[in-house]
Amino acid sequence: MAGDIFGAFSALIFVLGLLGLFAWAVRRFGFMPGQPKFGKAGKELEILESKMIDARSKLVVARWRGTDYLLAFTADGAKQIAEKEAPANPTVLEAKDGRI
């Protein structure tokens, strides 16, 4: 009786471990659609920073193909606030008129 319970418990732990290993491999190696296949080399879109303004509003700095975009997401939808050529070492995204 105790041996059967131990065997069933061991099999359960083994199967859960295999599922965890599979989930890790999918996330690590990018086997999901829309993700780069290996490493960062194929990444075109990056979310650099995200800040919540209130419960329904958020500011996001995203980089796409060498350009940084400041985007506002509100209840009304998304809006581009500013865009700037990505610097070699990005620190602050400035608006077109120099203000944020």
Side-chain angles (χ1 to χ4, degrees):
M1 177 81 180
D4 292 337
I5 293 174
F6 179 74
F9 186 70
S10 298
L12 176 66
I13 296 297
F14 179 74
V15 169
L16 290 176
L18 284 177
L19 285 173
L21 182 64
F22 178 73
W24 172 82
V26 165
R27 292 193 68 175
R28 170 69 174 92
F29 297 112
F31 294 128
M32 291 189 291
Q35 285 190 342
K37 294 299 178 197
F38 295 101
K40 279 188 148 184
K43 241 184 197 180
E44 279 193 271
L45 179 64
E46 291 181 88
I47 303 299
L48 301 177
E49 192 171 349
S50 175
K51 296 285 183 186
M52 291 298 294
I53 303 299
D54 58 27
R56 293 184 167 194
S57 303
K58 180 195 281 193
L59 286 176
V60 175
V61 179
R63 178 173 294 152
W64 183 65
R65 294 187 178 176
T67 305
D68 290 346
Y69 298 93
L70 178 61
L71 307 170
F73 293 92
T74 63
D76 298 330
K79 180 180 177 184
Q80 178 183 334
I81 295 176
E83 113 181 31
K84 178 183 174 188
E85 190 70 26
N89 188 6
T91 55
V92 176
L93 178 68
E94 295 178 11
K96 292 178 184 176
D97 60 356
R99 295 178 295 153
I100 289 187

